[in-house]
Amino acid sequence: MLISWDESTNQLHLCNGRISYIARVLEDGSFGHLHFGPALTPGRSYRHLGPDRFEGFSNRVGEPIAREYPTGGSGDFRVPAVVLEPADSSPVLHLAYAGHRILPGKPALPGLPATYVEADEEAETVEVLLRDEPSGIEVTLLYTIFADAPVVARSARIRNGGAQPVRVRCAMSASLDLPDASWDFVQLSGTWARERHVVTRPLVPGRQSVASLRGASGHEHNPFIVLARPATTEEAGEAYGFSLVYSGNFLAEVEVDPFDSTRVRLGINPESFCWTLDPGAELALPEAVLAYSGAGLGALSDAYHLLYRQRLARGAWRDRERPVLINNWEATYFDFNEDRLLAIAGAAQEMGIELFVLDDGWFGKRDDDTSSLGDWFVDRRKLPDGLDGLARKVEALGMRFGLWIEPEMVSRRSRLFEEHPDWAIGVPGRPRTESRDQLVLDLSRPEIVDHLFSLLRDVLRSAPISYVKWDMNRNITEPYSAALSADRQGEFFHRYILGVYDLYDRLVTEFPEILFESCAGGGGRFDPGILAYAPQGWTSDDTDAVERLRIQWGTSLVYPLSSMAAHVAAVPNHQVGRVVPLQTRAAVAFFGVLGYELDPTVLSPDERRAVAGQVDFYKSHRELFQRGRFVRLRSPFEGGGNEAAWMAVADDRRRAVVGWYQILNHPEPGPDRIRLRGLDPAARYRVMPWPSVGDMMAGDTIVRGGDDLMHAGILVIANRRDTVERGDFLSRLFVLEAVE
Ligand code: GLA
């Protein structure tokens, strides 16, 4: 039993031996919060953890009583979870407990991506019903605790049980009060080509947040934050994770009040949201996944990685080994024909690459980015035998064929726009803001989703297509839907993302064998919502290995290796002009789903041999690189940022691969050892540098104990000559295999 409800005290306790989440009905009938964190013994009362009222000064209101779904206007002056605007009364709500039910497993959320179970024993869910009697508004809070994860998934439904329409101005997925404020706020922020850098700041009194108003979760901030004790490291210390399973405008906000209590709220960004609920109507809110670790950031990431890889990602490709691909984008951009593509595919196949992906430019008359989005018909000038002809020729080479699409967009210069100018998002009578010469289709309208589904179904049926890269290259401006009445325009952004989910859902259901990869100008919509449909995502348009160290490190705080596509690209790198050795480019891209994004026909014979060796190496450790436990060892965000190190460890701890990276070389380095983690201390491991070259300082294969490797460490810089010879952008890989 994971969830108990003590009828005598009205205390709810979710506990799986690793964490507890405890709440209770307060004296005033509201639902109060008591504890989220380390497991506390079930069957006891914890009412002392959350007082019913502040016992201090009688002239004060607004004291920090913790509620599970706080409302404003009646003494709690902190940020609320819900704000309603009823037609006939005040916005004050008193949400009082009105019942609960405990369910085995985990119910699906209608129209929304969410974590799930495959068997009822994997989790338990409690639904707690709260009601505001005067208005008839009902809020159902959902909590799921997983048997094996330090995680609670929360969401909420709001139902208008009154007789008048109600406007929902703010409705969070979760709100959580913590009893003190000595936390660091960790966020994943950046922009195009430098997504998800780790940014850490101490909490201060007042509000601090990350958010999006772009119509997508965005490159700028991820819908994920951590509150970590200031001394927390990868290995030790307390940390809470808050991750929103949502791909649209979000808010992740923390408020510290004058008494140093901390409120966290997570959900759809209220700034761009207003939803009208007619009498009897209900609104389901996205899921927030809350995790707790008492053993550092590493354990927090482990929890998210396992859950998101196994019980958020879905479909046939969830557990399958992902193919090594070659993508023609940086090799050709829009300038290709069938011969050129087949030359790329042929050279790639000879190096062991398994999937050829045809990127942008295959449809309409798309010779640059100014036209044809929406016209998903093959361009016979470039591909005279159509997609089918090309795909069959690629398959005849012994490779699979994959295709790029950008379904949500339309170019002004397109047949689709000529036929349906009103399908593009925009405010009547106002100019539309341009971005990359394209407009966004109004996916809040079901008929447009229907059109895209049938068009794309035809495309995907027209050729043997094994993989789809679904791109989304601009944000939404002039948000307005012609299909919504003036008083319902506040629903637009959420309805848009529901349309995206609907289209994704229909396509992945219709084509269960196709591997979908999400993309949004790189990592502009790399979030758990999309991960539920596309089990891997294009992590960033930045293919430079040095930049990728930070991007992949930051991304790994919450997202698993199996979700992170990482490519080896040509040098000088197309985003930053840097020339990084081929070995280091591969050593970074190995940790994730490997691909190549270059023209293999222009590689030298030595480079082709090297790539063939990399692909072969990756395939022999693919399980580890895609599904191993990812352990972060040395942060590129700390200590001057000149180094990074990480490793992937097999579940049984019998094998691991360690990667170490140094950006700029320095004269006269001292010896440097990295202490590994996650190994079996009692096992003995054969340590093999890869590639095993004669001048490698570790020299020949050696056998060392797991304890030795974790406590004394592995030598990455041994002597000066070694590093001086190797110059900048140095990397080392070590394969560890348990012996006997
Ligand atoms: C986006 C993607 C790239 C590429 C281009 C094509 O920028 O992130 O990988 O597909 O679009 O236009």
Side-chain angles (χ1 to χ4, degrees), residues 222-414:
N222 205 254
F224 172 70
I225 59 169
V226 174
L227 291 185
R229 291 293 184 199
T232 296
T233 63
E234 287 291 326
E235 296 162 76
E238 285 194 290
Y240 289 94
F242 302 88
S243 168
L244 189 67
V245 186
Y246 193 59
S247 311
N249 293 347
F250 73 93
L251 171 70
E253 183 166 44
V254 178
E255 180 172 6
V256 175
D257 83 347
F259 310 100
D260 272 354
S261 81
T262 298
R263 171 164 296 168
V264 186
R265 63 174 187 161
L266 194 62
I268 296 174
N269 194 338
E271 193 95 21
S272 56
F273 178 80
C274 182
W275 192 278
T276 300
L277 274 182
D278 287 327
E282 191 167 61
L283 172 67
L285 300 168
E287 173 164 289
V289 178
L290 281 52
Y292 170 78
S293 163
L297 294 173
L300 193 77
S301 300
D302 288 343
Y304 281 111
H305 291 179
L306 277 177
L307 185 69
Y308 284 1
R309 176 158 59 77
Q310 298 177 339
R311 294 293 181 265
L312 176 62
R314 291 180 287 177
W317 281 99
R318 185 190 71 182
D319 300 332
R320 281 193 200 157
E321 290 199 335
R322 312 286 169 70
V324 179
L325 66 80
I326 187 151
N327 178 304
N328 74 306
W329 178 240
E330 289 195 6
T332 67
Y333 295 103
F334 296 101
D335 182 17
F336 59 79
N337 56 31
E338 192 187 80
D339 287 348
R340 180 128 192 247
L341 298 179
L342 287 172
I344 291 172
Q349 193 279 332
E350 281 171 18
M351 300 186 298
I353 294 173
E354 299 156 313
L355 168 72
F356 171 80
V357 177
L358 172 56
D359 209 278
D360 195 356
W362 60 266
F363 51 90
K365 291 202 174 67
R366 189 149 162 101
D367 296 327
D368 54 35
D369 60 15
T370 62
S371 84
S372 303
L373 292 167
D375 294 348
W376 301 108
F377 310 102
V378 71
D379 181 354
R380 298 234 170 220
R381 297 172 309 159
K382 292 180 186 174
L383 304 174
D385 292 341
L387 283 178
D388 187 46
L390 174 65
R392 287 187 194 284
K393 288 171 203 170
V394 167
E395 291 213 323
L397 291 170
M399 300 177 94
R400 297 296 195 85
F401 178 76
L403 192 67
W404 178 98
I405 55 174
E406 197 181 357
E408 298 154 72
M409 301 294 154
V410 62
S411 306
R412 274 185 200 279
R413 287 174 48 214
S414 67

Side-chain angles (χ1 to χ4, degrees), residues 52 63 124 158 288 319 339 457 490 531 558 560 571 630 677 721:
D52 265 317
E63 311 302 352
E124 247 170 59
I158 301 186
D319 300 332
D339 287 348
R457 185 180 51 193
L531 191 57
V558 57
V571 289
F630 189 62
R677 293 206 314 279
R721 253 190 97 227

